[in-house]
Amino acid sequence: MTEHDYDLFVIGAGSGGVRAARTAAGLGARVAIAEERYLGGTCVNVGCVPKKLYSYAAHFRHDFEDSAGYGWEAQPLPPFDLQALVANKNREISRLNGIYASLLEDHGVTVYRERARLAGDSRVNVGRDTVTARHILIATGGWPFVPDIPGREHAVTSNEFFFLDRVPDSIVIAGGGYIGVELGGILALLGCRVTLIQRRNYLLPGFDADLRDEIEKAMSRYATVILEDQIERIDRLDSAILKMSLRSGGALEAEQVLFATGRRPNTADLGLDVAGVATAESGAVIVDDHFMSSVPGIHAVGDVIDRTALTPVALSEGQALARQLFGPGDQGPDYSLVPAAVFSQPPLATVGQTEEQARERYDNVTVYRTRFTHMRHSLSGRDEKVFMKLVVDSESDRVLGVHMQGPDAPEIMQGFAVALQAGATKAQFDATIGIHPTAAEEFVTMRTPD
């Protein structure tokens, strides 16, 4: 192990890379990590963390409005200062960047604040130096994708969104996945006139069809939702207004346009071709079940391998790889039971199989649904519903999927993810005493299938 400068060299200090580096170092490996941009990757800097903070900020609008039904004189709404939010968000992210740096340093990981590129099967160019490593890990994450259309330079992505100095009066958001739905809801509650355009005939690809219908209903209350269309050209009409020409022949005008049309593996200019590492058409590094690429000794985890692009998955993959290389071994995450949440307005969360997936895999599927007004809104008067759904294998009685849209859905779903991981049955759900009065108790009181 001493014939190389390091036992493990990690390119990319996001969630997966940092976890792999820390775990490997804790197991006695000599580890270095290179990051040219910011410690913590997308999640900490321009993803999960600032998105959740902005979501909290947006929710206050509904909190102020709803409080009137509870005896508070909440009108008019107090003014909102985006610059104050941005400054406070930046301060919190700087704190988290410092924590990541300390975690690496405390584990004895050498940190290079420079771009790194593969220079061969065991060599890495980092800055002006070339180092060798027994194992190399690619953990460079993803990057926002903007279609190559005329006027694309006028658009922003989620990266720039978190540094806007004011809320635009109007915006067109292209894309109806996680990012488009979340940022659209945030902007609408902060006072922006939002139009969301999606090329498919539904929002949130990959989610249960009922959840997709529920989020479309919810979004239509505070935004204009256009399905089966897309932007083909952007022109600036004047200093304040952009014109978006659509495939359908129509046009939209707004102060800002944001593309949330997906993220692609961030593999450009990494020297993958030099090392002979095979990639998919999307640019993702192709790996086997142990996260090894086509070149022995070169590995990849996280969004760059294009499996399940979620921070907890990248963390699990990074830890598993480090244990496989330097420890007792680790099988990695169970991709079939990855819980997920969309911090929309209201939020939704899910774990396990959609109804569509279950009906493809099982002969007899039973579905339970409920839709009701949250107790909070019995006095607020807000026209908002909670939706819950259970998908059950009728033969084994095992619960295959749990889906929810409504207040606190992400917090509620984490516990049900444990239940599904343990193989819980519908009978066990039914035997569980509910906590009353809560929305969550509905999951253990649904008795009548569709």
Side-chain angles (χ1 to χ4, degrees):
M1 294 178 66
T2 58
E3 63 184 271
H4 297 100
D5 298 315
Y6 299 102
D7 301 315
L8 176 66
F9 193 100
V10 182
I11 303 177
S15 301
V18 170
R19 177 61 63 87
R22 289 174 52 202
T23 303
L27 293 169
R30 296 166 300 142
V31 182
I33 192 167
E35 175 55 62
E36 66 170 337
R37 192 168 288 107
Y38 31 53
L39 298 180
T42 295
C43 180
V44 168
N45 295 276
V46 289
C48 333
V49 171
K51 179 266 304 288
K52 188 69 180 290
L53 296 175
Y54 275 49
S55 181
Y56 284 136
H59 270 290
F60 276 109
R61 181 187 187 96
H62 278 174
D63 292 340
F64 284 124
E65 293 172 346
D66 292 348
S67 68
Y70 290 88
W72 294 91
E73 295 184 11
Q75 299 295 331
L77 285 174
F80 173 72
D81 184 351
L82 180 60
Q83 292 185 21
L85 174 60
V86 172
N88 293 337
K89 176 266 297 183
N90 290 344
R91 184 166 58 251
E92 172 61 10
I93 288 176
S94 293
R95 185 184 72 84
L96 295 175
N97 293 152
I99 290 175
Y100 270 78
S102 296
L103 287 172
L104 291 168
E105 292 166 4
D106 291 348
H107 281 78
V109 176
T110 300
V111 179
Y112 290 87
R113 299 295 185 100
E114 297 177 280
R115 184 172 184 83
R117 297 176 180 83
L118 296 176
D121 57 0
S122 64
R123 291 179 295 123
V124 179
N125 290 334
V126 54
R128 297 182 177 179
D129 299 327
T130 298
V131 299
T132 62
R134 182 180 172 211
H135 296 283
I136 299 169
L137 172 59
I138 308 298
T140 47
W143 198 254
F145 168 72
V146 178
D148 187 16
I149 61 172
R152 68 193 298 271
E153 67 274 9
H154 298 304
V156 298
T157 70
S158 55
N159 284 1
E160 296 80 37
F161 169 81
F162 295 108
F163 297 93
L164 296 177
D165 58 5
R166 67 179 186 84
V167 178
D169 292 330
S170 57
I171 192 167
V172 173
I173 298 178
Y178 274 87
I179 297 172
V181 167
E182 290 177 333
L183 300 190
I186 289 169
L187 284 166
L189 266 63
L190 294 181
C192 180
R193 179 164 48 83
V194 175
T195 299
L196 186 143
I197 184 167
Q198 162 75 329
R199 64 183 178 87
R200 302 174 188 260
N201 64 352
Y202 54 83
L203 303 178
L204 295 179
F207 283 79
D208 186 90
D210 283 333
L211 275 186
R212 298 199 303 254
D213 290 343
E214 291 297 321
I215 193 60
E216 184 183 343
K217 292 174 187 174
M219 283 206 75
S220 295
R221 295 190 183 100
Y222 54 76
T224 299
V225 178
I226 300 174
L227 301 178
E228 296 186 273
D229 211 342
Q230 64 187 54
I231 298 172
E232 293 196 335
R233 182 184 181 90
I234 306 171
D235 292 289
R236 178 164 293 286
L237 298 183
D238 56 39
S239 60
I241 299 297
L242 296 170
K243 177 184 175 181
M244 278 61 70
S245 300
L246 308 182
R247 183 183 59 188
S248 62
L252 298 169
E253 293 184 7
E255 183 179 327
Q256 185 67 268
V257 58
L258 185 150
F259 270 85
T261 43
R263 299 174 65 85
R264 292 193 173 177
N266 188 22
T267 53
D269 193 30
L270 286 180
L272 298 180
D273 53 341
V274 174
V277 175
T279 58
E281 185 176 348
S282 66
V285 178
I286 298 172
V287 296
D288 62 15
D289 292 340
H290 301 287
F291 310 108
M292 182 181 290
S293 75
S294 59
V295 178
I298 299 180
H299 316 265
V301 299
D303 294 5
V304 79
I305 65 174
D306 206 13
R307 287 188 180 175
T308 301
L310 293 171
T311 293
V313 173
L315 291 169
S316 180
E317 292 171 345
Q319 179 170 284
L321 174 66
R323 288 178 174 174
Q324 290 168 10
L325 297 178
F326 306 108
D330 189 321
Q331 292 301 309
D334 178 356
Y335 295 100
S336 69
L337 284 174
V338 175
V342 179
F343 293 94
S344 48
Q345 312 293 335
L348 61 87
T350 180
V351 64
Q353 298 175 37
T354 67
E355 180 181 348
E356 297 76 21
Q357 291 169 335
R359 293 197 184 280
E360 289 178 358
R361 300 170 187 175
Y362 296 86
D363 294 331
N364 194 354
V365 173
T366 304
V367 175
Y368 300 79
R369 296 180 180 87
T370 184
R371 195 170 188 266
F372 58 93
T373 299
H374 196 283
M375 187 176 183
R376 170 191 178 106
H377 299 312
S378 61
L379 296 186
S380 77
R382 183 172 299 282
D383 180 20
E384 182 179 288
K385 299 295 183 182
V386 175
F387 174 79
M388 294 178 171
K389 180 175 182 176
L390 295 176
V391 180
V392 180
D393 173 20
S394 306
E395 294 184 8
S396 68
D397 198 43
R398 186 165 62 92
V399 179
L400 303 173
V402 182
H403 312 280
M404 176 181 178
Q405 180 182 14
D408 301 316
E411 303 291 346
I412 292 170
M413 198 57 61
Q414 184 66 78
F416 286 103
V418 176
L420 264 64
Q421 191 72 49
T425 64
K426 182 63 168 66
Q428 290 171 325
F429 271 53
D430 295 344
T432 301
I433 303 298
I435 300 173
H436 184 74
T438 65
E441 68 178 315
E442 294 288 330
F443 275 127
V444 298
T445 60
M446 283 191 277
R447 297 289 189 271
T448 305
D450 289 354

